[in-house]
Amino acid sequence: MSKTTTDTKAAEPRERAEVGPTMQGSEILVAALEREGVDTIFAYPGGASMELHQALTRSKKIRTVLPRHEQGGAFAAEGYARASGRAGVCMATSGPGATNLVTGIADAYMDSIPVVAITGQVPQAMIGKGGFQETDIFGLTLPIVKHSYLITDINDIARVVKEAFLIAQSGRPGPVIIDIPKNIQQQKAQPVFPTEVHLRGYAPNKKADDVALNEIIGLIEKSERPVLYCGGGIISGNASEELRRFAEATGIPVTTTIMGVGAFPETHPLSLRWLGMHGAAYANWAVSGEFKKDGERVVNVAPGADLLLAFGVRFDDRVTGKVDKFCETGTIVHIDVDASEINKNKPAHLPLVSDIKYALHRLNEMVGKRPVQKRFAVWHEQIAAWKAKAPLRYRVTEEVLKSQHMRDHMGGRSSEVILPQMVIETLYELTGGEAILTTGVGQHQMWAGQYYQFKFTRQFLTSAGLGAMGYGYPAALGAKVACPDRQVIDIDGDGSFLMNVQELATAHIEKIAAKALILNNQHLGMVVQWEDKFYKGNRGHTYLGDPDNRQQIYPDFVSMAKSFNVPGERVMFKKDLRSAIQRMLDSDQPYVLDVITPYTEHVLPFIPAGRTVADMIYQD
Ligand SMILES: Cc1ncc(C[n+]2csc(CCOP(=O)(O)OP(=O)(O)O)c2C)c(N)n1
Ligand SMILES: [Mg+2]
């Protein structure tokens, strides 16, 4: 599969091409997908796409998975892409089918995930007439795609597909839409399949020059407190090995964003885990410094980084909080493959537009020849002290003991209460840290990130930028299709899981053994946390249970799973947790493990939105 194009390639003389026999437009599209190495498509049919489905039934190379909702299909395509690094492909009919893909497309855009989304469109003669199921999906998705096509000529299909995959997967990856009117699907033509395409003006793999890279080495030599702050770019750029070598050669500690989780092994002594709103306290301190509040006065206790190497990251507000206070006293080096990220959220002292794998590779060569002399011993001592002061930890709080959960479900047996963090820790232990996790959005998502330690890239698949509830289970299906030999577990919330619960049918019928472990707190827990913190605990439609019967766990996910022929189990007491998780892991089928947890637990650390590290609350 072609992944990259470079400036030099653009100068090569002629494209080669393969001429096929006369085929219908729908068949050309499928044949073109086959030539891109597509092995799976998540596709839901309708009037404007059934020609494409007819052609798919004749493909010997492509497995068509029928999701039970187009949003599920789009998230599954994303899960496939995030787990494999190859573009995920989804398809829907025009109108409501296409609009149901939109959330997934937006998600892929925010998190730079390569997805090719194909939509059927009404016949060309009907476009603009407001006919049945006509929606301008091209126009609708313009701000959330890397590129889009509306095919107007059957002879363009093969080239458009080739370009779409190139664009989706190269440089900063992202979603590409191909909208194809029904009459073009039905026409016939002799296709020409290009084996390469060149896009004028598209040079996705810029390379930093040696002078600038040398300057980085100089800055490291001069610094006392350097930190590597790394994001999803390291993963999509396949640069984690280069990052590890660079960190080890220089002794610079590494923090990642949530998108960057797994880019650097979290079990490594140089790892600071992830930073930001719910990131490790020590990661936030290492970047921005430790502060104490003395009434209104903010006192700096210890300085943070004097050099921040921001590699493949975009200074998202969930990471930075109040952005001008983020690493306020540090020199910032920002390397990103996408020039539009440079100086967007945070000005950089040394900005470089570059492929990160190349940049790290050259930096490694440079430090290989001329090793960095500094060892940053004092800095490492400070970080060790911070790690000791505020590790990620939890305990059974007063709030939990006094909670409705204790009264309704535990009969006062406080020693039996299952805290959500425990569940993730136990799962980590029982899987040896080897599973691929997906998540919904909410508190459970943060705990999954905090209490599982990720060793590899493409191991933690989460809707980060968009924060789309409902992502977890369909994404797990996609990941399991891409990696059938891995244990794939969706850590979900009760609210999030319900949003795409229909995908249990896909899992059963398609025999995709992705597991769902629900941290069921009967609430929209993350919103509850904000209500507690900022609205005096007033509940604004955040209870998901049945107010007329609070003792009952509602809905009953295990019965629901059974109705889909998916096995499952509920656990309420700590004594049953470990064996229940083990049974889930041992199952060779899709599975639902419904773990009942108190809703009163808050995710810590917590830096309220738009605030600074001085406002961080953490478990002392
Ligand atoms: C589609 C969508 N709607 C609303 C939200 C806002 N939101 C963020 S977290 C959250 C609560 C999620 O509840 P649940 O899935 O049960 O997870 P918990 O926080 O309880 O672990 C909500 C409503 C969202 N992120 N996505
Ligand atoms: Mg919940």
Side-chain angles (χ1 to χ4, degrees):
M1 203 177 289
S2 73
K3 283 209 179 71
T4 55
T5 186
T6 61
D7 292 349
T8 45
K9 267 199 180 155
E12 276 173 19
R14 287 187 67 81
E15 294 173 8
R16 286 167 298 138
E18 172 203 344
V19 181
T22 300
M23 293 187 229
Q24 213 175 288
S26 54
E27 291 167 332
I28 298 173
L29 187 102
V30 171
L33 294 175
E34 288 176 349
R35 279 161 180 74
E36 290 308 304
V38 173
D39 55 19
T40 309
I41 180 169
F42 301 90
Y44 201 101
S49 67
M50 54 189 296
E51 288 286 355
L52 300 167
H53 280 264
Q54 289 297 312
L56 279 169
T57 63
R58 293 187 285 274
S59 173
K60 295 199 170 51
K61 296 192 176 136
I62 301 177
R63 170 185 184 187
T64 302
V65 172
L66 174 70
R68 265 44 176 187
H69 187 304
E70 290 88 351
Q71 184 182 101
F75 285 157
E78 268 198 272
Y80 178 99
R82 289 194 203 220
S84 69
R86 300 189 303 274
V89 187
C90 55
M91 187 165 97
T93 190
S94 66
T99 56
N100 276 348
L101 292 179
V102 169
T103 303
I105 294 167
D107 193 76
Y109 184 71
M110 291 291 278
D111 286 350
S112 308
I113 307 300
V115 166
V116 174
I118 299 160
T119 47
Q121 185 51 278
V122 298
Q124 274 170 300
M126 299 287 290
I127 291 180
K129 309 262 184 218
F132 181 63
Q133 295 192 332
E134 181 193 358
T135 300
D136 176 9
I137 195 67
F138 181 98
L140 191 60
T141 53
L142 269 179
I144 53 164
V145 292
K146 187 170 173 188
H147 199 60
S148 40
Y149 295 92
L150 168 62
I151 296 187
T152 55
D153 183 339
I154 186 171
N155 295 307
D156 290 341
I157 296 175
R159 177 185 50 80
V160 162
V161 169
K162 185 101 206 148
E163 288 182 7
F165 278 79
L166 172 67
I167 293 168
Q169 297 180 126
S170 57
R172 179 183 188 168
V176 177
I177 286 202
I178 304 174
D179 196 24
I180 174 165
K182 183 162 180 170
N183 65 304
I184 292 183
Q185 300 171 33
Q186 291 170 324
Q187 282 167 14
K188 286 194 169 166
Q190 204 179 1
V192 180
F193 298 102
T195 43
E196 266 178 54
V197 281
H198 305 301
L199 298 162
R200 270 174 73 179
Y202 183 64
N205 295 322
K206 297 256 174 22
K207 290 184 172 134
D209 67 64
D210 275 7
V211 177
L213 291 170
N214 240 315
E215 207 174 317
I216 298 178
I217 310 279
L219 288 170
I220 295 171
E221 295 279 13
K222 272 195 272 168
S223 79
E224 301 295 332
R225 300 181 306 280
V227 169
L228 275 154
Y229 151 54
C230 297
I234 301 286
I235 298 172
S236 54
N238 292 318
S240 70
E241 193 48 41
E242 286 79 1
L243 171 64
R244 194 183 49 75
R245 253 185 257 138
F246 182 67
E248 285 174 354
T250 56
I252 301 178
V254 184
T255 184
T256 74
T257 64
I258 283 199
M259 281 302 299
V261 162
F264 188 75
E266 293 192 310
T267 45
H268 195 290
L270 286 170
S271 171
L272 296 168
R273 310 287 308 273
W274 49 278
L275 81 172
M277 181 179 275
H278 294 297
Y282 45 86
N284 289 321
W285 285 330
V287 170
S288 297
E290 185 184 353
F291 296 84
K292 201 170 64 188
K293 276 208 157 163
D294 184 8
E296 280 306 289
R297 228 161 51 91
V298 177
V299 185
N300 184 222
V301 177
D306 62 357
L307 175 65
L308 190 69
L309 302 175
F311 289 180
V313 276
R314 60 184 183 86
F315 296 87
D316 175 77
D317 64 273
R318 283 297 188 265
V319 164
T320 63
K322 193 173 165 49
V323 71
D324 44 323
K325 293 286 172 194
F326 180 72
C327 195
E328 194 180 14
T329 52
T331 299
I332 293 179
V333 176
H334 189 187
I335 307 185
D336 204 286
V337 73
D338 180 357
S340 75
E341 284 300 342
I342 303 288
N343 294 332
K344 184 174 97 179
N345 292 333
K346 178 91 179 167
H349 302 93
L350 178 57
L352 274 75
V353 177
S354 179
D355 174 66
I356 193 66
K357 188 180 179 80
Y358 171 79
L360 278 164
H361 171 75
R362 275 303 287 151
L363 286 169
N364 283 330
E365 284 182 342
M366 289 172 180
V367 294
K369 278 202 199 110
R370 193 163 59 91
V372 173
Q373 297 304 321
K374 284 253 181 79
R375 292 285 84 187
F376 310 112
V378 178
W379 184 223
H380 286 294
E381 271 168 39
Q382 171 67 77
I383 285 169
W386 278 330
K387 282 184 174 177
K389 178 174 177 171
L392 286 164
R393 64 182 154 195
Y394 60 91
R395 53 183 145 78
V396 180
T397 58
E398 271 301 295
E399 286 75 24
V400 169
L401 292 175
K402 287 189 305 205
S403 69
Q404 189 84 28
H405 174 76
M406 290 304 286
R407 288 196 296 278
D408 286 347
H409 308 302
M410 303 303 295
R413 292 152 73 189
S414 58
S415 60
E416 280 303 319
V417 71
I418 300 176
L419 294 185
Q421 300 93 326
M422 279 172 198
V423 183
I424 309 296
E425 274 180 346
T426 311
L427 181 73
Y428 177 68
E429 228 184 286
L430 294 178
T431 54
E434 298 282 328
I436 293 175
L437 300 194
T438 68
T439 73
V441 171
Q443 294 182 308
H444 63 278
Q445 175 187 30
M446 298 298 111
W447 286 316
Q450 290 178 338
Y451 288 91
Y452 205 90
Q453 295 183 58
F454 298 89
K455 293 185 277 194
F456 321 110
T457 60
R458 310 192 175 283
Q459 203 188 350
F460 186 52
L461 319 181
T462 194
S463 171
L466 192 67
M469 289 171 68
Y471 176 82
Y473 197 62
L477 295 184
K480 185 71 180 171
V481 168
C483 307
D485 300 330
R486 300 286 298 274
Q487 190 72 254
V488 180
I489 303 153
D490 163 35
I491 306 295
D492 225 328
D494 46 330
S496 296
F497 185 67
L498 197 57
M499 283 204 176
N500 274 317
V501 70
Q502 76 286 342
E503 297 310 327
L504 286 171
T506 315
H508 175 71
I509 301 298
E510 294 283 342
K511 301 187 172 49
I512 305 169
K515 319 282 167 68
L517 192 167
I518 304 169
L519 296 177
N520 187 347
N521 54 13
Q522 295 281 281
H523 282 76
L524 298 170
M526 187 56 96
V527 186
V528 165
Q529 176 165 345
W530 286 43
E531 287 173 343
D532 289 348
K533 185 90 185 67
F534 309 115
Y535 299 91
K536 300 193 175 72
N538 184 37
R539 299 282 167 256
H541 320 108
T542 45
Y543 179 53
L544 295 172
D546 178 355
D548 294 334
N549 186 0
R550 285 183 167 261
Q551 271 85 15
Q552 188 191 43
I553 300 294
Y554 180 89
D556 181 346
F557 287 117
V558 177
S559 309
M560 206 183 284
K562 292 239 157 78
S563 77
F564 287 103
N565 285 349
V566 170
E569 197 179 340
R570 175 184 292 164
V571 262
M572 184 88 84
F573 305 113
K574 197 156 81 181
K575 64 179 174 45
D576 304 322
L577 179 65
R578 177 174 284 267
S579 54
I581 293 180
Q582 191 59 57
R583 277 189 293 280
M584 174 188 80
L585 295 173
D586 291 343
S587 170
D588 58 1
Q589 291 182 61
Y591 198 94
V592 173
L593 182 60
D594 187 24
V595 183
I596 313 301
T597 60
Y599 67 91
T600 32
E601 193 62 10
H602 284 185
V603 180
L604 295 178
F606 182 24
I607 303 174
R611 306 298 285 271
T612 73
V613 70
D615 301 300
M616 179 167 62
I617 311 159
Y618 59 95
Q619 190 81 66
D620 49 19

